[in-house]
Each structure stands twice: as C-alpha cells, then as structure tokens.
Amino acid sequence: MTTHLMNTYTRQPVAFVRGEGAYLWDESGKRYLDAVAGVAVNGLGHAHPKLVKAICEQAAALIHSSNLYRIPKQEELAERLCALSGMDRAFFCNSGCEANEAAIKLARLYGHGKGIEVPTIIVMEKAFHGRTMGTLTASGSRKIQAGFEPLLSGFARVPFGDIEAIRQVAEHNKSVVAVLVEVVQGEGGINVLPPDFLVGLRQICDAHGWLLMLDEVQTGIGRTGTWFGFQHSGVVPDVMALAKGLGSGVPIGACLARGEAAEVFKPGSHGSTFGGNPLACATALATLDVIEEENLLENVRLRGEAIRSGLRQALASVQGVVDIRGEGMMIGIELDRPCAELVAVARDAGVLINVTADTVIRLVPPLIYGDAEVNVLVAAVSGMVKNHLQQAA
Ligand SMILES: *Cc1c(COP(=O)(O)O)cnc(C)c1O
C-alpha cells in the first residue's frame, strides 16, 4: 500500500483491472457483479463498445482546445441536454461540486441583480452537494463541514422535503433567492422527496421570484428511470446540476438554467479551463446516444422495480429491515442498525455494494442490468441482510 496518497479515503483492499458490462475483474482474476457503478457514474456499465469508440476517435482528433474558442461538441451537448430537460443554456465543468458551485454563484448573482444584499439559498438537512467550501456549506452533514470553518454565509437550512418549513422561511426571510435540493438524496440515505413536494416548491418559488435549483448530480441521466429525476413530478426547475452519469466516467459536470436564470452569467462571471472539452463532450454525447438506442430509461424503470420488489419479497418478514425505497436504479435498504461491514461480506461473495448514512445499503447499478444481474443481486443482498440481522440479534 502506498503511503504517498493523502489520507482522504478508507480504501477497500481490492483493485480492479478490467470491466465489461455489469462486471469488474480484480488483479487475481476474480469477477464481481457491480452494483456501485463507480458511485452512480458508469451508467452504461464498463467498456461499452460505442463509448470506447467515441472516446478513441475523439482522443485521436482533439482532446482539448479551450473555452477561448468555439467547441462544436460542447454546443451540440448543450443543445441535446436542453432539448431533453426543457432548459435553455448549459455551463460545463468537471464534477458535481463544480456544477453546484456554478448554481450557487448563479443564484447569488441573480439575487444581487435584484438588489438583495445578502442573497440566501435554502438547503436541506442531510443534503450532499460536494466538498468545495461552497458546496460543503450547502451540505447538511456536520461530518463534512467539521474542521473547515469558517463556512460561507448565505444559507438557510430546513428539514428534507418539509414544504411548510420553506413557507415559514419565505415569510420571515426576505433575502432568499433560491432553493437547492436533491430529488432523491443519495449520500443522505436514498431519501425520496414526498409526492407533490416539487409542485408546492415551484409555486412558492414563483410567488417569491426564487430560483428552483435541483442537484441532479446523482439522479440525472437516467438513474431514476427518466432522463432527470424532476421529470417524475411534471415540474421544471430553473437551474439543474449534473455530473456523475453524464460522462460515464470521463469527468464532466454541467449547470443548466432556464429563462431569466439562463441569462445571469456574462463573459467573465464564471469559467473553467477543462470544462466541456471535446473529449468529455464526445463521451457525454455517446452516453446519451446509448441510453436512447438501448432504451435504457425503460430498462431502469423495469429492472429498478424488479430489484425493489424482489428485495421486498425476500425480506418481507425479516425483523430489522426498516424500509426498502428509491426510484429507478437508485435503491436504498434501510436497516435498524449499522451495516457498513456488509460491503466486505458482499465483496467476498463477488458483489459490489455501498453503504451510506451508516444504516442504508445503497444500490446504484449500471443502467444496463438484465434479468440475470437482477436475480443475482437480489439473492445475494437479501441473504446477507438476513444473516447480518440474525447475527447481531
Ligand atoms: C456525488 C454528488 C455530488 C458531488 O460530486 P463530485 O463530482 O464528487 O464533486 C454532489 N451532489 C450530489 C447529489 C452527488 O451525489
């Protein structure tokens, strides 16, 4: 083990050398079923031929030029994403935190444009928006913030999905300019917004001239069975952050905006050296193509439901299973006790899973799962959960 990496991750003792479809292979040749997908990144699975081809061709032609020049692939990607989402303009960056950082900056500029001196953004408890100073301040976890004070000012926090709490802030705080929320909280434990929350939030935002900003870094690009998580609600946001699944592993993030919000940034307001370079954009375009060609949105809806209902059936009478929830292929199994050690148990059995928020098993498989993968995953995970709950009892 190297001692030359900063100590930011407690890494599992395994290194993968190759992937194909929904499977990964380690250095010893052992095969694993992947239900992590690089934390909701590798939506097309591993080494998808169409993606590999697009990357190779673009790398051979031009990897990077600069945003000092026109980048046709970036223009094309912006057009595609806007057509799919109903947004008007895109800003490209390289990660989820940068996409959210762009949204935060956009909201502040929007507020100042309206003469609001201390523009305030409403954010949620248990939120995760990233690790930059702005996005860790917006995140709702002391673990992420502790030690990095002073945090930024200009944020107000409410319980996740609590529309009444937002109404109350609206009455008392005249500095609010935007609300930033995840459609399904990922790191926070696969928490789904209550039905009609976004409809209510849209009304409040419209009444007060606030921007409705969605962090779709994890939920976007098919993860929940629609292109974007908000499309289950019938409501369209003003600003949306994307990253994880967008580039299938080649780093790219995007902040999309609509209407007035789309006109806030001017030359010099914001920028990125690498953001939206030809390689990243070609990869993202190929990702969108494959999702369309292989009908993956429908696959996510069907297989996601099959995984959830399979788990519900297998764990129906099991004491200690608090909830099985999620949307599409973003699935959480909440237990009544910590379960981090299940990650290693599953890995030994050749299945890669993740645990978040201490007690929630998070399954975010590649969007390409077939019946075989669904069945193996359900059997493996339900078996482990039963053992875990019996052992500890
Ligand atoms: C992963 C994630 C981020 C942060 O993305 P990075 O690429 O790690 O900066 C932000 N928001 C949500 C909802 C995420 O899931």
Side-chain angles (χ1 to χ4, degrees):
M1 293 261 188
T2 179
T3 53
H4 293 289
L5 291 174
M6 284 206 194
N7 203 13
T8 50
Y9 282 89
T10 310
R11 292 173 197 272
Q12 298 173 45
V14 61
F16 301 109
V17 292
R18 183 169 78 80
E20 197 182 315
Y23 298 90
L24 283 166
W25 283 263
D26 72 11
E27 292 161 310
S28 75
K30 178 176 170 183
R31 189 181 85 152
Y32 301 81
L33 175 63
D34 188 2
V36 177
V39 192
V41 167
N42 304 304
L44 308 185
H46 303 280
H48 192 289
K50 173 131 191 181
L51 192 78
V52 172
K53 182 162 176 278
I55 292 170
C56 291
E57 284 177 5
Q58 188 58 51
L62 182 68
I63 292 174
H64 177 81
S65 55
S66 163
N67 285 307
L68 296 172
Y69 312 105
R70 280 190 50 213
I71 301 173
K73 285 257 154 55
Q74 190 185 114
E75 294 169 13
E76 190 185 338
L77 179 59
E79 190 183 335
R80 282 281 288 283
L81 290 173
C82 287
L84 293 172
S85 64
M87 309 299 273
D88 293 324
R89 290 182 189 270
F91 168 82
F92 290 104
C93 49
N94 315 287
S95 65
C97 60
E98 282 174 83
N100 285 319
E101 196 74 32
I104 292 166
K105 286 181 70 176
L106 190 157
R108 287 183 163 197
L109 206 53
Y110 169 83
H112 285 297
K114 291 195 172 329
I116 295 170
E117 269 176 43
V118 187
T120 298
I121 300 171
I122 296 179
V123 290
M124 307 289 140
E125 285 171 7
K126 296 191 204 158
F128 181 73
H129 298 301
R131 302 286 196 154
T132 62
M133 281 311 306
T135 57
L136 78 83
T137 301
S139 295
S141 150
R142 275 307 292 161
K143 236 158 105 182
I144 285 167
Q145 297 172 340
F148 297 110
E149 296 80 5
L151 303 181
L152 270 60
S153 54
F155 292 92
R157 196 169 306 281
V158 298
F160 178 70
D162 187 340
I163 201 78
E164 270 319 307
I166 294 176
R167 277 207 186 92
Q168 292 200 350
V169 176
E171 268 181 39
H172 302 295
N173 189 334
K174 299 302 164 199
S175 295
V176 174
V177 295
V179 180
L180 176 63
V181 60
E182 295 156 88
V183 176
V184 180
Q185 285 186 332
E187 306 302 308
I190 314 291
N191 304 313
V192 185
L193 279 174
D196 291 335
F197 173 87
L198 286 177
V199 175
L201 183 60
R202 183 71 270 174
Q203 285 168 355
I204 297 174
C205 287
D206 289 341
H208 294 86
W210 301 350
L211 301 178
L212 199 172
M213 309 204 297
L214 296 180
D215 178 350
E216 292 241 21
V217 167
Q218 191 160 157
T219 49
I221 315 297
R223 175 56 56 191
T224 71
T226 49
W227 280 107
F228 309 101
F230 74 79
Q231 290 170 327
H232 296 282
S233 73
V235 159
V236 184
D238 301 297
V239 177
M240 170 170 69
L242 297 174
K244 290 198 165 84
L246 179 57
S248 299
V250 172
I252 181 169
C255 176
L256 277 69
R258 183 172 70 94
E260 206 183 333
E263 311 303 325
V264 168
F265 284 149
K266 299 282 186 286
S269 303
H270 196 42
S272 168
T273 296
F274 296 120
N277 83 15
L279 183 70
C281 290
T283 314
L285 283 165
T287 300
L288 301 181
D289 285 343
V290 172
I291 291 175
E292 256 163 24
E293 288 163 14
E294 299 188 5
N295 213 0
L296 291 184
L297 299 182
E298 193 189 354
N299 194 59
V300 169
R301 290 194 292 268
L302 293 175
R303 311 285 187 210
E305 194 46 49
I307 294 171
R308 262 189 307 279
S309 64
L311 289 169
R312 283 195 185 115
Q313 222 167 357
L315 296 171
S317 54
V318 178
Q319 287 285 316
V321 178
V322 176
D323 194 16
I324 296 168
R325 57 177 178 256
E327 191 90 70
M329 282 206 178
M330 198 170 168
I331 295 159
I333 307 156
E334 183 178 351
L335 306 185
D336 67 354
R337 66 202 71 174
C339 55
E341 61 257 49
L342 283 182
V343 170
V345 175
R347 193 178 62 242
D348 289 345
V351 179
L352 302 176
I353 62 168
N354 176 254
V355 168
T356 188
D358 292 336
T359 56
V360 182
I361 298 168
R362 168 169 54 174
L363 306 175
V364 281
L367 312 183
I368 54 160
Y369 260 36
D371 277 340
E373 286 76 29
V374 168
N375 293 338
V376 170
L377 184 66
V378 167
V381 170
S382 57
M384 278 166 232
V385 166
K386 278 184 210 165
N387 276 340
H388 182 65
L389 292 171
Q390 276 159 11
Q391 266 172 26

